[in-house]
C-alpha cells in the first residue's frame, strides 16, 4: 500500500573517526525513503534548492520512490553538519542551515491525498497537522517523529498534533522530555495518554521498545562489529518499520511487533557505511536474512 513521507532532504557534512564527507545526500526523508522503498512504493514530500542536481536526485532513481511531491525552490538546500565522538556514542551538530527548508510548507500532489500510510517526519507540528488536513480520507496509520527543538519550543502545537496520530517514534531522551519523566516506562505511559495508540522508543545500539495494547516489546538492535556512521539510523528504523506495515496493509498488534524487527534491521544497515551508502546497495533478500537471524537471536524458552 502507498506510503507517504514528509520531511527533510538535505546535504550533510559528516565527520566520524573512520571517515569524513564534506557533502553527501542526507535528510530524514531520504534515509526513510531508501529504507521503506525496499518494502512498498513511497511518495516523498519535501523541498530542495536549485543546487540539488539530477546526479543528486539519482539516489532516488531506480526505486519505487515517487518524487512528484519533491518541491524545488530558489536557493540552497537544507545543510546539516555533524561530528561524532571517538566511540560514536555522541554527536555534536556543527551547523544547521535551514535554507529553503525554513519556508517549507508541504503541499500534497492530488494523487498523494489518498495514501493509506503516512509518516510525518520531524518538522513544525503545525505543518504536520496541515499535511493531515490535505488528506482526502483518514489514512490507516499516521506515524510521527519529532525532536527536542519542537518538544520544548512548540509544545502546545505538538500536543495538539499528537491527538491526531496513531504511532509516535522517538528516542529515549525525547520521550522523557515530552513526558517530564526520567523513567522510561513512566514516560511511555504518559506519552500514550497524549494520543498515540502505539509508541516506539528508540535507543540506538541498545535497541528499541514498542508500547502498544497494554504490552511492551523490547527489541534488540542487530549486533554489529563495524559501525561506521550512526547518521540516519533512527530515520532508517522508521523507514523499515513503516515500510513493512504498509507492505502488509495493516497495523495489527502482530504486524507492529514484526515491524520492530524490520526497523532494527534497516537501522543496522544504515550505520554500516558513511551517509546513505549502504542503503543504496542493500537488497531485500539481505534484509530478510538479517531479520530471520535477529528473530533467531531473540527466541528463547524457559
Ligand atoms: P538522525 O541521525 O536520525 O538524527 O538523522 C540525521 C539526518 O537528519 C541528517 O541527514 C540531517 O540532514 C537531518 N536533520 C538534521 N537536523 C534536522 C532538523 N532540524 N530537521 C530535519 N532534519 C534534520
Amino acid at each position: 500500500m502507498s506510503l507517504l513521507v514528509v520531511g527533510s532532504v538535505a546535504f550533510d557534512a559528516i565527520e566520524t573517526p573512520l571517515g569524513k564527507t564534506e557533502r553527501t545526500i542526507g535528510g530524514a526523508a531520504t534515509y526513510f525513503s531508501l529504507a521503506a522503498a525496499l518494502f512498498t512504493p513511497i511518495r516523498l514530500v519535501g523541498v530542495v534548492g536549485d543546487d540539488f542536481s539530477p546526479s543528486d536526485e539519482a539516489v532516488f532513481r531506480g526505486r519505487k520512490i515517487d518524487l512528484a511531491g519533491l518541491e524545488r525552490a530558489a536557493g540552497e538546500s537544507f545543510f546539516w553538519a555533524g561530528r561524532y565522538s571517538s566511540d560514536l556514542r555522541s554527536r555534536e551538530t556543527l551547523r544547521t542551515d535551514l535554507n529553503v527548508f525554513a519556508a517549507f510548507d508541504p503541499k500534497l500532489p492530488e494523487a498523494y491525498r489518498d495514501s493509506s500510510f503516512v509518516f510525518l517526519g520531524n518538522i513544525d507540528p503545525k505543518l504536520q497537522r496541515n499535511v493531515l488536513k490535505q488528506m482526502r480520507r483518514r489514512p490507516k496509520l499516521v506515524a510521527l517523529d519529532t525532536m527536542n527543538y519542537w518538544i520544548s519550543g512548540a509544545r502546545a502545537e505538538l500536543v495538539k498534533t499528537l491527538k491526531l496520530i496513531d504511532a509516535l517514534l522517538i528516542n529515549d531522551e525525547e520521550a522523557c522530555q515530552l513526558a517530564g519523566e526520567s523513567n522510561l516506562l513512566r514516560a511511555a505511559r504518559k506519552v500514550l495518554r497524549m494520543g498515540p495508540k502505539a509508541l516506539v522508543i528508540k535507543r540506538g545500539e541498545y535497541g528499541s521498545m514498542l508500547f502498544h495494547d497494554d504490552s511492551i516489546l523490547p527489541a534488540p538492535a542487530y549486533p554489529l562489529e563495524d559501525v561506521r556512521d550512526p547518521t540516519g539510523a533512527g530515520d532508517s528504523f522508521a523507514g523499515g518499520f513503516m515500510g513493512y506495515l504498509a507492505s502488509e496493509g495493516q497495523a495489527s498488534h502482530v504486524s507492529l511487533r514484526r515491524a520492530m524487527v524490520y526497523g532494527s534491521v534497516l537501522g543496522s544497515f544504515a550505520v554500516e557505511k558513511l551517509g546513505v551508502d549502504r542503503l543504496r546497495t542493500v537488497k531485500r533478500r539481505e534484509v530478510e536474512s538479517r531479520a530471520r537471524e535477529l528473530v533467531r537471536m531473540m527466541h528463547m524458552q524457559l
Side-chain angles (χ1 to χ4, degrees):
M1 276 193 183
S2 52
L3 170 54
L4 169 72
V5 53
V6 182
S8 60
V9 176
F11 288 120
D12 288 350
I14 306 167
E15 228 181 295
T16 79
L18 301 165
K20 187 177 163 159
T21 168
E22 300 283 327
R23 184 174 139 120
T24 187
I25 305 289
T30 305
Y31 283 97
F32 180 96
S33 300
L34 293 178
L38 288 157
F39 298 89
T40 201
I42 305 301
R43 297 161 166 182
L44 195 161
V45 173
V47 63
V48 290
D50 37 31
D51 53 355
F52 201 82
S53 69
S55 69
D56 296 319
E57 208 178 283
V59 70
F60 299 115
R61 254 183 255 129
R63 301 164 203 278
K64 298 174 286 183
I65 302 177
D66 186 317
L67 298 179
L70 184 62
E71 188 189 325
R72 284 164 186 286
E76 285 178 52
S77 302
F78 181 106
F79 177 75
W80 175 83
R83 181 166 53 212
Y84 288 87
S85 61
S86 53
D87 61 6
L88 293 174
R89 288 206 172 89
S90 58
R91 174 171 89 187
E92 189 189 348
T93 291
L94 303 175
R95 241 170 103 173
T96 303
D97 298 339
L98 293 175
N99 298 327
V100 296
F101 199 56
F104 182 43
D105 184 10
K107 301 221 175 38
L108 305 195
E110 201 48 45
Y112 287 15
R113 296 176 191 232
D114 63 352
S115 302
S116 303
F117 288 76
V118 175
F119 184 71
L120 301 170
N122 164 33
I123 55 172
D124 183 335
K126 225 191 279 178
L127 296 180
Q128 290 174 322
R129 274 206 310 282
N130 280 348
V131 171
L132 292 183
K133 277 189 205 136
Q134 295 174 53
M135 302 300 298
R136 251 197 313 273
R137 53 184 163 86
R138 177 69 171 82
K140 277 196 171 182
L141 182 90
V142 178
L144 181 139
D145 180 22
T146 191
M147 69 187 289
N148 45 14
Y149 179 80
W150 303 115
I151 297 172
S152 57
R155 195 180 177 83
E157 291 294 341
L158 178 60
V159 165
K160 251 168 115 177
T161 306
L162 288 177
K163 292 195 202 316
L164 306 174
I165 62 151
D166 304 294
L168 177 64
L169 285 83
I170 47 179
N171 69 31
D172 43 2
E173 272 175 38
E174 291 157 352
C176 289
Q177 191 188 357
L178 180 58
E181 284 281 353
S182 54
N183 176 279
L184 214 50
L185 293 195
R186 273 206 299 273
R189 234 183 282 288
K190 263 197 175 170
V191 171
L192 285 169
R193 281 203 293 270
M194 297 170 124
K197 290 177 280 296
L199 170 65
V200 176
I201 299 185
K202 298 169 287 178
R203 302 173 62 223
E205 65 183 306
Y206 306 112
S208 52
M209 282 191 193
L210 166 70
F211 298 84
H212 180 248
D213 250 6
D214 285 328
S215 76
I216 304 174
L217 173 73
Y222 180 85
L224 285 176
E225 234 170 89
D226 290 314
V227 175
R228 298 247 137 197
D229 173 16
T231 310
D235 309 314
S236 307
F237 180 105
F241 181 87
M242 289 295 289
Y244 173 75
L245 290 175
S247 73
E248 287 288 290
Q250 55 161 339
S252 66
H253 185 65
V254 173
S255 301
L256 287 165
R257 289 172 68 94
R258 292 200 182 115
M260 292 292 283
V261 173
Y262 287 99
S264 284
V265 166
L266 267 301
S268 76
F269 279 114
V271 304
E272 281 186 328
K273 285 192 179 169
L274 201 61
V276 294
D277 285 358
R278 184 64 180 108
L279 290 184
R280 291 183 91 147
T281 60
V282 64
K283 298 283 178 293
R284 178 67 188 264
R285 66 181 149 70
E286 294 176 289
V287 169
E288 290 304 334
S289 123
R290 206 170 263 196
R292 277 195 297 275
E293 210 182 328
L294 186 60
V295 167
R296 263 201 305 277
M297 288 179 203
M298 289 163 76
H299 188 76
M300 64 179 293
Q301 273 171 341
L302 286 181

